[in-house]
Amino acid sequence: MLKFSLLHDKLTYMETDRMEKIVSLAKRRGFIFQGSEIYGGLAGTWDYGPLGVELKNNVKELWWDFFVHARGDIYGIDSAILMNRKVWEASGHVENFSDPMIDCKKCQSRFRADKIDINAACPECGAREFTSARAFNMMFKTYAGPVEDSAAEIFLRPETAQGSFSNFKNIIDSMRPKLPFGIAQIGKAFRNEITPGNFIFRTREFEQMEIEYFTAPGAWADAFDYWRGEMQKWMAMLGIASLVSEREIAEGERAHYSKRTVDFDFEFPFGREELYGLACRSDFDLKQHTMASGVELAYYDEAAKEKIVPFVVEPTFGVDRTVLALLAAHYSEEEDKKGGKRTVLKLPPQLAPYKVAIFPLVANKPQIVEKARDIYSSLKKNISTAWDDRGNIGKRYYAQDEIGTPWCVTVDYQTLEDNTVTVRDRDTAEQKRVATGELTHFFREELNRPTA
Ligand code: ATP
């Protein structure tokens, strides 16, 4: 089965030329590698390399700054991945968290029935006979403790949201928030996807950034519109908004607890697919957990002198899908000044793995190398900075463009005379002289420039 899934991964992500180039750049330049690669991989898992982890961390940090630190009404938490199995019974995941699965009767490949045309040929072997669809629960099971019996069976969480609901009372008791308020968290989630694929788009282990926003029951519709606007602002900051379209999910297709759902679909190289979601989960989760745990999850409204069970509006963001959307939106190939081709990752500077790269013009002139080293060590203290002294300057520019470094600094003979360096801009390839003492200030100003 593993072999087929891997093959499937490969077939789908190699579909388009652009996607192939992004996957290849990601591997070649240390962004993303296949999980367990030296053992032939493990379907639906990917590892982030030195540049990928910087990009991913920058996404998470920007998200936390925007949705938690810059506001006063959102409380951050980091709940455990392993939870009491009663959480998943109460939330409905044990019973309902499943996708319809079909098998090809000839080659036994498995597919999600809602993702393929069952009247067409099997994408793996071409046969035209499938089993009927059956529900497949996507939660990963494991055991807590040394005895592997049903009492010890627990799940790896398939979403971070339930950790936020189960801490509702803790937040009320410890932080005394006023309604409306939210609980946010960033963390890993696990889903035993039937057909992982399209690179990091659909994986079995991924990260989510989620907000559960609690409002008075009568206020959810306004909160929904408000959060739709906040999500749009976020996508504008990432420079991906023009590739996103919003889709209202019809009543029959929504999760049973949802009063309203809007999906944010991104124009990925392999097609238009869900990037983020916004849903009103009503009071379903708080009521279910109150019933199942016996602990009342409610809010005491001082003004009205009554207890209410808030409604929840949930903006949810996949971290890995964000990384993929950023790579896809900002990967560009253009002509350079000499008529050659250059590949540029036009990431917003705040998200780029390195903000600045320092080059000594020549590697065999100790004064230049020493000067460049001094600038490198001093900038590095505040700003993510790379060092490159290999090959000629042109090649170094190409290499930094490809990983999205917004500025390159060259230390040359003139630097030794007047303490200025060349700063070259990634997007315009324009160069200007800046005094070495001004560099930190110069880059700080540039990085604070609004991106949207
Ligand atoms: P899909 O329809 O693509 O399976 P979903 O509707 O099940 O997604 P949600 O349950 O709404 O997704 O999950 C919230 C977010 O988590 C998604 O918008 C997406 O960004 C991310 N996500 C969900 N499943 C995966 C996965 N298998 N791999 C990577 N990211 C995922």
Side-chain angles (χ1 to χ4, degrees):
M1 205 52 241
L2 178 67
K3 210 167 131 228
F4 278 120
S5 307
L6 274 177
L7 183 65
H8 191 80
D9 260 13
K10 211 168 249 159
L11 282 175
T12 45
Y13 81 64
M14 299 285 269
E15 247 162 34
T16 65
D17 191 31
R18 186 175 170 79
M19 192 62 188
E20 206 176 313
K21 285 177 179 165
I22 292 169
V23 175
S24 141
L25 184 149
K27 178 173 165 63
R28 190 162 30 87
R29 304 306 311 269
F31 282 87
I32 299 162
F33 312 121
Q34 191 183 8
S36 314
E37 189 175 352
I38 60 169
Y39 288 100
L42 176 68
T45 65
W46 296 88
D47 295 341
Y48 285 79
L51 275 81
V53 72
E54 295 297 329
L55 173 59
K56 187 157 83 133
N57 284 346
N58 291 343
V59 166
K60 292 192 279 184
E61 202 180 303
L62 188 67
W63 190 90
W64 199 261
D65 277 349
F66 184 68
F67 290 111
V68 183
H69 286 166
R71 312 172 51 106
D73 59 346
I74 305 272
Y75 300 85
I77 65 165
D78 182 11
S79 68
I81 288 171
L82 303 176
M83 300 178 81
N84 191 311
R85 72 169 278 140
K86 287 181 184 157
V87 169
W88 307 109
E89 286 164 6
S91 67
H93 282 80
V94 170
E95 203 175 331
N96 299 318
F97 195 63
S98 51
D99 275 339
M101 175 174 75
I102 54 168
D103 295 354
C104 167
K105 283 191 177 168
K106 187 164 171 226
C107 73
Q108 274 83 47
S109 292
R110 294 202 155 142
F111 305 97
R112 251 173 82 169
D114 57 334
K115 292 278 174 188
I116 78 163
D117 173 7
I118 52 171
N119 298 315
C122 167
E124 297 289 354
C125 74
R128 285 178 180 272
E129 225 187 326
F130 293 102
T131 61
S132 52
R134 59 207 186 281
F136 169 74
N137 193 298
M138 290 198 291
M139 284 198 293
F140 276 99
K141 290 193 189 88
T142 187
Y143 299 94
V147 184
E148 295 191 359
D149 62 10
S150 59
E153 190 181 273
I154 55 166
F155 303 101
L156 301 189
R157 69 177 176 202
E159 61 177 28
T160 61
Q162 297 305 325
S164 298
F165 297 130
S166 49
N167 276 294
F168 179 81
K169 189 169 183 311
N170 283 332
I171 297 301
I172 297 262
D173 292 348
S174 60
M175 308 307 289
R176 309 252 158 227
K178 287 257 169 299
L179 211 61
F181 72 91
I183 302 181
Q185 66 173 319
I186 300 179
K188 289 260 182 178
F190 302 82
R191 294 183 188 180
N192 198 0
E193 297 279 358
I194 298 166
T195 43
N198 287 327
F199 195 31
I200 53 170
F201 175 78
R202 187 177 302 287
T203 54
R204 291 188 171 139
E205 173 177 345
F206 56 97
E207 266 181 290
Q208 293 184 315
M209 309 182 281
E210 292 193 301
I211 298 167
E212 308 308 319
Y213 197 73
F214 303 95
T215 71
W220 75 263
D222 285 346
F224 194 97
D225 290 339
Y226 168 78
W227 280 103
R228 191 173 187 165
E230 292 303 290
M231 293 178 82
Q232 288 162 350
K233 281 188 207 159
W234 163 257
M235 291 180 280
M237 277 195 302
L238 302 191
I240 61 171
S242 63
L243 292 165
V244 174
S245 50
E246 298 177 18
R247 188 163 46 98
E248 189 82 41
I249 306 298
E251 193 172 345
E253 289 166 40
R254 288 198 295 264
H256 59 96
Y257 51 73
S258 172
K259 289 256 175 278
R260 186 178 177 196
T261 300
V262 168
D263 278 356
F264 295 77
D265 294 341
F266 182 85
E267 195 65 61
F268 288 103
F270 45 82
R272 199 176 280 256
E273 294 279 355
E274 176 179 333
L275 172 64
Y276 302 142
L278 174 64
C280 170
R281 296 178 76 129
S282 68
D283 53 7
F284 174 79
D285 301 273
L286 292 181
K287 280 191 168 157
Q288 285 294 109
H289 288 305
T290 296
M291 221 155 48
S293 67
V295 175
E296 189 177 31
L297 302 183
Y299 175 85
Y300 184 72
D301 186 339
E302 299 277 354
K305 302 261 178 284
E306 61 176 12
K307 273 188 192 159
I308 55 172
V309 181
F311 265 40
V312 174
V313 173
E314 177 195 70
T316 177
F317 307 72
V319 177
D320 312 82
R321 286 187 190 178
T322 305
V323 170
L324 184 55
L326 284 165
L327 294 176
H330 298 299
Y331 177 93
S332 87
E333 287 172 359
E334 46 191 61
E335 239 178 52
D336 64 16
K337 283 182 185 151
K338 294 181 194 137
K341 201 188 76 175
R342 68 173 190 137
T343 302
V344 195
L345 210 49
K346 295 188 168 176
L347 295 169
Q350 269 184 306
L351 297 177
Y354 297 120
K355 317 301 181 211
V356 185
I358 308 291
F359 308 156
L361 179 69
V362 286
N364 56 4
K365 179 97 179 155
Q367 286 142 296
I368 288 186
V369 175
E370 216 170 281
K371 187 87 200 161
R373 278 273 167 209
D374 286 349
I375 295 172
Y376 173 63
S377 335
S378 128
L379 268 184
K380 234 162 103 65
K381 287 187 191 127
N382 301 301
I383 295 169
S384 169
T385 305
W387 169 267
D388 193 356
D389 57 6
R390 293 162 301 179
N392 62 41
I393 294 287
K395 280 206 180 118
R396 295 183 216 164
Y397 282 153
Y398 276 60
Q400 295 298 329
D401 285 346
E402 229 187 3
I403 60 172
T405 309
W407 300 286
C408 293
V409 169
T410 304
V411 177
D412 53 20
Y413 292 98
Q414 196 184 325
T415 314
L416 302 180
E417 283 162 25
D418 66 3
N419 253 328
T420 65
V421 290
T422 303
V423 177
R424 182 255 198 190
D425 182 282
R426 175 195 69 194
D427 299 339
T428 61
E430 266 162 29
Q431 306 186 0
K432 61 168 105 167
R433 297 296 294 189
V434 177
T436 54
E438 289 294 309
L439 280 175
T440 303
H441 178 71
F442 176 85
F443 293 127
R444 281 241 173 94
E445 292 273 293
E446 291 287 334
L447 285 165
N448 283 335
R449 228 183 262 281
T451 49

